[in-house]
Amino acid sequence: MRPSTLTLRDLTFMVVHIDVDMDFTGQALGFDFEGVKIQCCVRHGRQTSDDSQIWWVGVDFVSVSDEEKRCPYVVEIKAAGLFTVDETIPEDKREAFVYESGAAMVYGAIREMVATITGRSVHGPFTLPTASFFGSFTNHDAAAGKPEDGANDE
């Protein structure tokens, strides 16, 4: 094992809201997300203090249960991580690296939190779908235009 070039310094959940959909029948285990309304938003930014580069990445996740597709739980979670990047990552590649890798780490923590909380709930443990953030920085940049302060929504 080698140390990662991206270090998670802190992870904070700002919103954790999970409601049971009592109109859903069955168990959450193996739930098919096809047709579920999901919103996932990634934000990021950079802080500089004491010659130390600190980046933040926030992920907001929302799933909705409606008449078209019942979902075992209605989920709204917002979490953010603080990261430092190893100096071996070239300066011109750092922002994309933090955005994509940081989002993957934060989303993984969100998945774990949901599974843990719902593990003792009515429909059983609910595992959010896996996600890949590879290439999402380029898509994010192209769609929104790169802002001057480096912060934006996906």
Side-chain angles (χ1 to χ4, degrees):
M1 183 180 88
R2 332 178 268 148
S4 176
T5 51
L6 183 65
T7 303
L8 177 61
R9 298 290 182 191
D10 188 31
L11 179 73
T12 302
F13 286 87
M14 285 79 68
V15 173
V16 177
H17 188 104
I18 301 173
D19 287 329
V20 174
D21 182 344
M22 295 307 288
D23 292 328
F24 177 82
T25 56
Q27 291 297 301
L29 191 62
F31 178 75
D32 179 8
F33 281 88
E34 185 68 34
V36 173
K37 294 177 183 172
I38 293 175
Q39 179 183 6
C40 189
C41 177
V42 178
R43 289 188 272 284
H44 75 296
R46 179 181 186 172
Q47 300 173 336
T48 306
S49 62
D50 301 333
D51 296 328
S52 168
Q53 298 274 336
I54 298 175
W55 295 79
W56 61 269
V57 177
V59 177
D60 301 352
F61 179 91
V62 177
S63 71
V64 177
S65 189
D66 61 21
E67 296 304 319
E68 293 178 28
K69 176 77 176 196
R70 302 269 20 132
C71 194
Y73 303 97
V74 176
V75 177
E76 178 186 5
I77 295 196
K78 297 180 181 189
L82 291 178
F83 299 91
T84 54
V85 183
D86 191 272
E87 292 178 2
T88 60
I89 302 297
E91 182 67 37
D92 64 329
K93 306 280 187 205
R94 288 182 188 175
E95 184 174 11
F97 177 68
V98 170
Y99 183 93
E100 294 174 0
S101 299
M105 286 183 178
V106 174
Y107 183 72
I110 287 173
R111 290 182 77 224
E112 180 182 352
M113 179 68 82
V114 170
T116 299
I117 290 172
T118 59
R120 293 184 147 260
S121 296
V122 175
H123 303 299
F126 189 46
T127 303
L128 298 181
T130 56
S132 173
F133 294 92
F134 180 74
S136 62
F137 180 74
T138 302
N139 297 338
H140 152 82
D141 240 6
K146 188 172 179 176
E148 292 178 1
D149 68 354
N152 204 354
D153 293 341
E154 181 175 278

